[in-house]
Amino acid sequence: QQQVKQSPQSLIVQKGGISIINCAYENTAFDYFPWYQQFPGKGPALLIAIRPDVSEKKEGRFTISFNKSAKQFSLHIMDSQPGDSATYFCALSFFNKFYFGSGTKLNVKP
Amino acid sequence: NAGVTQTPKFRVLKTGQSMTLLCAQDMNHEYMYWYRQDPGMGLRLIHYSVGEGTTAKGEVPDGYNVSRLKKQNFLLGLESAAPSQTSVYFCASKAEETQYFGPGTRLLVL
């Protein structure tokens, strides 16, 4: 049973554009919602994270929007750059266990 | 400070063979995790540990065993490898809510 559904599977954005990745979940017990960035041949690395008592968190060009009632959260990458080209995973956490989305492969065209 | 390291980087096994994957961390973290990553499925938790001498099952534990005899090491064992265990395996350790991933082990079971 998949705990989180992530979309789209792949995304192509022009340099300077906005990249948006969405995740939806059902179980309201989750209390931590991180996003991970993974480059080819590397392990994932934490990008940004949010807790359900906050509706938005911004760090530089990266923003998480969280809609608790809709049980959805999304990652926005403003002014997307070719260096942002990577696979992005949303995740959920509860009691030290993490569940990951299926990933979105982002390609930022120069 | 090496962070999280994994040994080996790549391995080919024949069906029925056994092997052990080693994960080591030098950050004195209590929590450690083993995941497998398959195309289109994100990362799935195999087993995890909340401290030395403890282990617990994750989403996909069947066919795997783990041990945490020392705080810095978390071993993942495959007693009788199957082609379905062909995957990339990632180890992670956790401090507060942040997971730090190793570089991964690519395993091919023929």
Side-chain angles (χ1 to χ4, degrees), chain A residues 1-3 9 31-32 34 36 38 41-46 51 87 89 93 95-103, chain B residues 31 33 35 37-38 40-45 48 50 57-59 90 94 96-104 106:
Chain A
Q1 180 187 358
Q2 197 173 12
Q3 297 287 350
Q9 195 172 8
D31 59 4
Y32 180 68
Y36 284 81
Q38 184 180 31
K42 305 290 186 183
L46 179 66
R51 291 199 178 274
T87 299
F89 294 95
S93 174
F95 270 150
N96 300 306
K97 291 177 72 172
F98 290 77
Y99 300 88
F100 284 77
S102 54
Chain B
Y31 297 88
Y33 301 80
Y35 294 90
Q37 184 175 29
D38 302 292
M41 301 190 74
L43 289 92
R44 291 182 292 168
L45 181 62
Y48 65 105
V50 300
K57 293 181 180 180
E59 281 182 272
F90 286 100
K94 185 172 80 76
E96 296 186 358
E97 297 292 356
T98 302
Q99 290 188 97
Y100 299 87
F101 284 85
R106 187 174 296 273

Side-chain angles (χ1 to χ4, degrees), chain B residues 55-100:
Chain B
T55 63
K57 293 181 180 180
E59 281 182 272
V60 289
D62 294 342
Y64 305 96
N65 56 75
V66 288
S67 65
R68 183 98 181 267
L69 299 179
K70 293 183 179 180
K71 187 177 183 179
Q72 63 267 35
N73 295 336
F74 195 27
L75 278 63
L76 178 70
L78 287 74
E79 289 188 351
S80 179
S84 61
Q85 294 177 305
T86 292
S87 188
V88 180
Y89 292 86
F90 286 100
C91 174
S93 66
K94 185 172 80 76
E96 296 186 358
E97 297 292 356
T98 302
Q99 290 188 97
Y100 299 87

Side-chain angles (χ1 to χ4, degrees), chain A residues 5-110:
Chain A
K5 294 183 180 179
Q6 183 172 345
S7 62
Q9 195 172 8
S10 63
L11 184 61
I12 300 174
V13 173
Q14 292 294 322
K15 178 182 175 182
I18 302 173
S19 304
I20 302 174
I21 304 170
N22 301 297
C23 284
Y25 63 99
E26 287 296 326
N27 189 337
T28 56
F30 293 113
D31 59 4
Y32 180 68
F33 300 84
W35 284 89
Y36 284 81
Q37 180 187 55
Q38 184 180 31
F39 293 103
K42 305 290 186 183
L46 179 66
L47 185 63
I48 187 172
I50 198 168
R51 291 199 178 274
D53 55 347
V54 177
S55 61
E56 185 175 283
K57 183 175 181 180
K58 184 176 181 180
E59 290 184 1
R61 296 184 293 109
F62 301 92
T63 300
I64 299 179
S65 297
F66 187 81
N67 188 329
K68 190 174 182 178
S69 60
K71 290 183 278 188
Q72 295 176 349
F73 59 111
S74 59
L75 175 69
H76 291 63
I77 306 174
M78 311 299 289
D79 187 26
S80 299
Q81 299 297 313
D84 297 331
S85 296
T87 299
Y88 294 81
F89 294 95
C90 63
L92 317 167
S93 174
F94 177 67
F95 270 150
N96 300 306
K97 291 177 72 172
F98 290 77
Y99 300 88
F100 284 77
S102 54
T104 296
K105 189 171 184 179
L106 171 65
N107 186 5
V108 181
K109 297 284 193 183

